[in-house]
Amino acid sequence: MTTVRLLLAYDGTDFHGWAAQPGVRTVAGTLGGALGRVLGEPPRLSVAGRTDAGVHALGQVVSFEAPPTVDPGRLQRAVNGMLGPEVVVRSASRAAAGFDARRSSRARLYLYRIDTGPVPSPFSARFVWHRPGDLPIGRLRPAARLLVGEHDFRSFCRSQGSGARTIRTLRRLSVTRVGHEVQFRAEANAFLHQMVRSIVGTLVAVGEGRIDPKAMPEILAARMRSAAGPVAPPQGLALLHVTYGRS
């Protein structure tokens, strides 16, 4: 057998998350079904980031074992013919022995987009959170800086269950304005369930004056989801890039 590595992009709007579930349309189930039609049976997939329902990807990485005779180029063309443009294989290649899309990754980069314009755009509404009204960057950035580094992010994630490790290293959390959009880029060694959306929702509350920008250390120390702001909706979030090797 040989390990195949795929670089995926997909519109997550009509998928119920990543993980395959019986009777539920997911990215993994849809991709696995297409691969099965090419390979003879659906392979067991390893994925760099298990995106939630409604979350998109531009740089998702998937790996699986396939017969050594598989032609990655043919596989790419076949899957894109069945699933594109909703799910697109941007590249397909053989990977080095031992490569695993999830375990071999070193960092993940996510982008969250908020449209602050007065009316939603029909051309981008599926990929942004339309929240009309200004968000002052001057309030958001100081709060974002307080979250960068190694912290226990239990307050910024969905319940992980007792004993789960919730310490992560947030390497970057930038806030920029692009026209009517406020964009957040978050990079970490790994993310907890709904962590990016919880951070964004909390920073929006900061921008609206409902949370003090200096309160981030207290929210982290509380280690309770109720201490942070609301969870931002999924459609504004996209997985941009996964880093392998030295990061």
Side-chain angles (χ1 to χ4, degrees):
M1 300 293 281
T2 187
T3 302
V4 175
R5 169 174 168 168
L6 304 181
L7 179 64
L8 292 184
Y10 52 81
D11 174 358
T13 305
D14 297 323
F15 291 105
H16 295 274
W18 170 268
Q21 304 174 49
V24 177
R25 189 170 188 260
T26 67
V27 182
T30 301
L31 176 64
L35 290 171
R37 289 194 286 275
V38 179
L39 300 174
E41 61 178 353
R44 182 175 181 179
L45 304 176
S46 176
V47 60
R50 294 189 177 187
T51 51
D52 291 338
V55 176
H56 318 288
L58 184 63
Q60 178 72 276
V61 180
V62 177
S63 63
F64 57 90
E65 295 299 306
T69 55
V70 68
D71 179 346
R74 175 179 173 274
L75 190 71
Q76 178 184 10
R77 292 189 295 274
V79 171
N80 287 346
M82 287 183 273
L83 303 182
E86 193 177 38
V87 178
V88 174
V89 179
R90 296 176 58 196
S91 67
S93 60
R94 288 186 173 85
F99 175 82
D100 181 275
R102 186 169 187 84
R103 292 195 297 269
S104 302
S105 63
R106 295 291 178 264
R108 297 158 180 82
L109 173 64
Y110 283 87
L111 168 68
Y112 197 99
R113 300 165 59 196
I114 299 178
D115 177 6
T116 63
V119 296
S121 167
F123 301 106
S124 63
R126 292 164 67 93
F127 307 104
V128 300
W129 172 18
H130 179 243
R131 182 214 154 273
D134 185 45
L135 283 174
I137 299 294
R139 286 182 62 85
L140 301 180
R141 284 177 173 164
R145 283 195 291 269
L146 292 172
L147 295 174
V148 175
E150 183 179 86
H151 304 288
D152 188 333
F153 283 95
R154 187 176 296 272
S155 294
F156 292 93
C157 70
R158 192 170 178 176
S159 176
Q160 304 293 298
S162 61
R165 178 176 170 80
T166 50
I167 296 174
R168 297 292 187 271
T169 301
L170 187 59
R171 300 177 180 179
R172 172 165 54 129
L173 180 58
S174 65
V175 185
T176 56
R177 190 185 304 280
V178 181
H180 284 302
E181 286 191 14
V182 174
Q183 299 184 355
F184 303 80
R185 281 177 170 78
E187 183 178 26
N189 60 332
F191 286 91
L192 299 163
H193 191 193
Q194 296 186 346
M195 179 174 158
V196 178
R197 291 167 56 199
S198 297
I199 288 174
V200 170
T202 301
L203 292 179
V204 168
V206 168
E208 294 172 344
R210 295 186 287 119
I211 295 180
D212 190 313
K214 298 179 182 178
M216 297 305 107
E218 296 175 18
I219 294 174
L220 287 166
R223 302 178 73 245
M224 295 188 302
R225 182 65 193 86
S226 58
V231 178
Q235 71 269 19
L237 185 61
L239 174 59
L240 284 190
H241 181 73
V242 181
T243 300
Y244 293 92
R246 293 187 177 182
S247 56

